[in-house]
Amino acid sequence: IMQLYVPLNWFGTYYRAIQKNFVDMENMFDLLTVRPEIVDAPGAPSLVIREGSVEFRNVNFSYNADREILKNVSFYVPPGKTLALVGPSGGGKSTIIRLLFRFYDVSNGEILIDGQNVRAVKQMSVRKAIGVVPQDTVLFNNSIKFNIQYGKVSAPEADIVSAAQNADIHERILSFPDAYNTQVGERGLKLSGGEKQRVAIARTILKSPAVVLLDEATSALDTQTERNIQAALAKVCANRTTIIVAHRLSTIIHADEIAVLKDGEIVERGRHEELITQGGEYAQMWEQQLRNDAAGERRGSVGSNE
Ligand code: ATP
């Protein structure tokens, strides 16, 4: 989903801005023909990354004027720690990721990286500090090498190979017809979901950002692929501030904090064991997942993507 939402509903954000600034409806329609972008404040400085803490302070947000999507969301992720966002579909998990990347501006409240409001600094500098591993990675119609190097264009060959090794995709690349020069993407070799995700991981390892955002794939991967990806993800998250949108709770048992998001509000937060003991929403989700996993095993296997 990370690629899809950029051009989507810009209307809502813009509409609110216009509502504030214009009374004249005719003006509004003129302006709507121009695609709005999030703009840097004049003379905005670059974000200065020290340790990479991330904070949401009483954030409210809506895409459309008629419906509030995030309601007074607050959390703090200390440098190097991991926050997992879980909860029912539509709860607002991906929206949090989008706001942090500043695809949209908040309606109220503040988003701070190392104490600096993302609205007050250059957008480019925010994006440079953050690595994203999306659910579905779209590859460029170019070589696999290019697709990894995109994380850091100046990276030497040795670093690209090392990133691929850490992402557990190196061996696979060597098996391609032209190894690192193999053309991939729509017009080249098609990679599986798990392979594409590992390319995204390699790219992010190469980028070496202070903050990592992971949007976990909802599709089931086979157990071995899953394990390989988990190992690669663990490497990309090590010592980096991480926010993970989790669909399978088994992957976030060790998260420093889990926040349950429901209808745009954080309804529970804590570590896995605490939330299980609490016996609330999270505990129910966990029970459900255990039942689903058991049912999956009885059916024989989980579908493979590889
Ligand atoms: P899932 O687990 O299904 O990915 P989520 O918790 O990540 O869900 P979001 O994608 O953040 O949920 O969506 C939160 C709400 O915002 C949903 O009701 C959704 O319909 C709405 N929404 C998402 N993107 C837009 C958009 N571009 N324009 C308008 N509404 C949107």
Side-chain angles (χ1 to χ4, degrees):
I1 41 174
M2 296 298 283
Q3 304 83 25
L4 275 177
Y5 50 69
V6 193
L8 290 183
N9 199 304
W10 48 270
F11 180 84
T13 321
Y14 208 36
Y15 179 67
R16 265 179 296 104
I18 294 160
Q19 263 192 329
K20 266 191 241 133
N21 299 320
F22 295 94
V23 193
D24 187 344
M25 287 299 279
E26 273 151 24
N27 265 343
M28 178 174 131
F29 289 105
D30 280 342
L31 282 165
L32 283 174
T33 57
V34 184
R35 188 162 171 252
E37 297 285 345
I38 300 286
V39 283
D40 289 338
S46 289
L47 176 71
V48 180
I49 289 288
R50 287 178 287 265
E51 300 170 291
S53 71
V54 172
E55 182 174 8
F56 271 52
R57 239 184 237 170
N58 309 107
V59 167
N60 290 279
F61 175 74
S62 40
Y63 292 99
N64 304 298
D66 63 346
R67 192 158 65 102
E68 185 126 83
I69 300 292
L70 294 183
K71 300 161 195 159
N72 201 27
V73 169
S74 296
F75 58 77
Y76 175 69
V77 196
K81 300 290 182 191
T82 297
L83 169 74
L85 300 172
V86 302
S89 179
K93 304 180 291 295
S94 306
T95 302
I96 287 181
I97 300 269
R98 288 167 209 162
L99 290 176
L100 186 53
F101 215 58
R102 207 173 164 220
F103 274 127
Y104 301 92
D105 276 328
V106 301
S107 324
N108 270 303
E110 293 177 310
I111 298 174
L112 307 162
I113 299 179
D114 273 343
Q116 299 148 81
N117 193 327
V118 297
R119 279 185 99 146
V121 295
K122 283 205 184 78
Q123 184 183 23
M124 275 299 290
S125 65
V126 172
R127 298 192 178 173
K128 233 170 108 183
I130 301 176
V132 183
V133 180
Q135 257 190 44
D136 293 300
T137 301
V138 176
L139 298 177
F140 298 102
N141 287 308
N142 207 313
S143 67
I144 182 89
K145 179 182 157 196
F146 175 91
N147 272 280
I148 296 173
Q149 191 167 28
Y150 183 74
K152 186 180 172 194
V153 183
S154 64
E157 181 101 23
D159 291 2
I160 297 169
V161 172
S162 159
Q165 281 167 336
N166 279 315
D168 196 29
I169 186 85
H170 173 71
E171 299 294 328
R172 188 82 190 93
I173 293 173
L174 292 187
S175 77
F176 294 163
D178 288 318
Y180 276 83
N181 295 318
T182 306
Q183 295 291 307
V184 294
E186 280 309 301
R187 278 182 263 126
L189 189 72
K190 303 250 191 318
L191 304 191
S192 73
E195 287 163 353
K196 281 193 280 191
Q197 195 167 29
R198 277 176 283 169
V199 171
I201 293 170
R203 202 183 266 173
T204 308
I205 290 175
L206 196 64
K207 182 172 179 177
S208 194
V211 178
V212 173
L213 308 179
L214 297 179
D215 201 346
E216 193 182 70
T218 33
S219 53
L221 301 171
D222 65 86
T223 319
Q224 189 55 48
T225 307
E226 179 74 22
R227 266 196 214 117
N228 294 347
I229 289 184
Q230 284 309 322
L233 285 177
K235 281 185 195 142
V236 80
C237 301
N239 302 317
R240 299 209 166 94
T241 312
T242 304
I243 298 182
I244 171 171
V245 172
H247 297 285
R248 273 148 306 145
L249 306 183
S250 54
T251 60
I252 52 154
I253 291 175
H254 302 295
D256 299 295
E257 185 171 47
I258 297 167
V260 181
L261 207 67
K262 199 177 172 186
D263 298 327
E265 284 177 286
I266 297 182
V267 292
E268 277 177 27
R269 64 175 87 207
R271 291 187 62 99
H272 175 80
E273 304 77 27
E274 292 164 1
L275 294 177
I276 293 293
T277 313
Q278 217 168 295
E281 296 275 344
Y282 182 84
Q284 276 176 28
M285 288 170 63
W286 180 250
E287 285 293 314
Q288 183 63 46
Q289 170 134 11
L290 290 182
R291 276 197 297 274
N292 291 351
D293 289 353
E297 261 155 45
R298 274 199 301 280
R299 277 197 304 275
S301 76
V302 186
S304 164
N305 237 10
E306 287 286 85

